Amino acid sequence: MSGAKLGHKFWERKTLDQMTAPEWEALCDGCGKCCLNKLEDEDTGEVALTRIACRLLDDATCRCVHYENRHQFVPDCIVLKPSNLDTHAYWMPQTCAYRLLWEGKPLPDWHPLLSGTSQSVHDAGVSVQNRTLSEFDIPEEDWEEHIIEEPT
């Protein structure tokens, strides 16, 4: 859904908890990075991103293939909400609109709400489009071999 249909720059006029469900969903830029498996160091809390994708991530579109009923397939998939952002922001992508707005930062120019096209996130090289491996193909004990730097 385009930003124009939701109201001009609604994210600058509303707090995250004031947004409607369509506005909240429109914040997602479609980069796919939140659907990559992460490794967290138990001692330091540092989070490492891997190129191992959730089984439901479409590598070409960077979208969940079963978004509406994803919990039937991945019960521990996070439902991000304004009320739980404080406990999840630390592992969210650096470029994630939810995280950026929660931190009081602006959306980047390539964000689809500003560019008017969902392709802009891919054109900017920020997404994981065509860069992932399926979690079905890589044993969990080998995930450390697939740690990557976040595309930003």
Side-chain angles (χ1 to χ4, degrees), residues 120-133:
S120 59
V121 67
H122 308 302
D123 292 346
V126 179
S127 78
V128 295
Q129 186 178 49
N130 301 317
R131 301 183 195 188
T132 67
L133 300 171

Side-chain angles (χ1 to χ4, degrees), residues 128-147:
V128 295
Q129 186 178 49
N130 301 317
R131 301 183 195 188
T132 67
L133 300 171
S134 171
E135 65 186 2
F136 286 133
D137 296 334
I138 311 296
E140 194 169 344
E141 60 269 13
D142 294 340
W143 286 5
E144 279 189 40
E145 297 172 24
H146 297 280
I147 291 175

Side-chain angles (χ1 to χ4, degrees), residues 97-132:
Y98 301 106
R99 180 178 181 163
L100 291 171
L101 294 176
W102 182 76
E103 293 175 341
K105 298 176 181 174
L107 296 183
D109 291 341
W110 51 258
H111 193 284
L113 286 171
L114 293 171
S115 70
T117 174
S118 59
Q119 184 62 34
S120 59
V121 67
H122 308 302
D123 292 346
V126 179
S127 78
V128 295
Q129 186 178 49
N130 301 317
R131 301 183 195 188
T132 67

Side-chain angles (χ1 to χ4, degrees), residues 73-91:
F73 303 97
V74 184
D76 58 347
C77 182
I78 302 294
V79 176
L80 196 62
K81 314 179 263 197
S83 62
N84 67 11
L85 250 175
D86 59 339
T87 58
H88 295 297
Y90 79 98
W91 63 262

Side-chain angles (χ1 to χ4, degrees), residues 15-43:
T15 63
L16 292 170
D17 59 344
Q18 291 173 329
M19 292 182 187
T20 64
E23 289 169 337
W24 178 262
E25 290 295 320
L27 290 178
C28 176
D29 60 32
C31 72
K33 293 185 284 191
C34 62
C35 298
L36 297 180
N37 286 290
K38 291 124 188 109
L39 300 174
E40 184 173 355
D41 186 299
E42 291 179 17
D43 297 327

